[in-house]
Amino acid sequence: MKKLLLVAIMAVAGVAAAVAQPRAIGANIGYGFDISYQHALGEANMIDVSLNLPLFSGIGATATYDWINPFGTAIPWNYAGQWNWYLGVGAAGGFYGLFDNSKFSAAYVGVAGQVGIAYDFWFPLQLSLDYRPNIGVHFGDGVHFNDHGFYGITLGVRYRF
């Protein structure tokens, strides 16, 4: 009974800690359209998960683990809001050629990177500019190693909660 009570207390504490972390949800516009969710892991790290619609001709997902202000290099001009930059690495995958009428259809799996700058306003809004390079393998008319993943420079708008 004591072990069950201990497990229950640890589960409640874990959920409370996860809910207490800052989060943001929004969209990135650039190389198509992304729906983005960010979850902070303390002061200096976050997880960024995106559902991607690259050039509106496929569907995919990207997940990166990001370091906020890495190397101890915070942006010095924080006034009413807060500037941050971040650098991350993760994975991406998806499918191309699903929504157009071409015969070409391919799957993609690769390593994703992310570098960006964000401004958190004093109210719950965040604007960001991100670059997300991907490199990996696509399958379709054979197996090819290239950088045709879901990448590009995007403008992000997120609601922070």
Side-chain angles (χ1 to χ4, degrees), residues 95-115:
F95 301 95
Y96 284 105
L98 297 177
F99 306 124
D100 55 14
N101 293 327
S102 68
K103 294 180 181 178
F104 178 74
S105 181
Y108 175 84
V109 177
V111 176
Q114 177 165 280
V115 62

Side-chain angles (χ1 to χ4, degrees), residues 20-72:
Q21 299 299 319
R23 299 174 304 277
I25 190 165
N28 292 339
I29 301 167
Y31 183 75
F33 180 79
D34 302 345
I35 297 171
S36 174
Y37 173 76
Q38 294 178 340
H39 189 92
L41 302 173
E43 291 283 326
N45 304 314
M46 72 177 169
I47 300 287
D48 188 334
V49 179
S50 298
L51 176 66
N52 316 109
L53 296 170
L55 292 178
F56 304 101
S57 67
I59 190 165
T62 303
T64 58
Y65 181 88
D66 298 332
W67 293 272
I68 302 169
N69 297 326
F71 317 115

Side-chain angles (χ1 to χ4, degrees), residues 107-138:
Y108 175 84
V109 177
V111 176
Q114 177 165 280
V115 62
I117 186 168
Y119 184 74
D120 296 332
F121 288 89
W122 57 95
F123 50 92
L125 178 68
Q126 177 190 72
L127 296 178
S128 67
L129 192 60
D130 306 317
Y131 176 63
R132 298 175 168 187
N134 290 345
I135 189 163
V137 178
H138 81 265

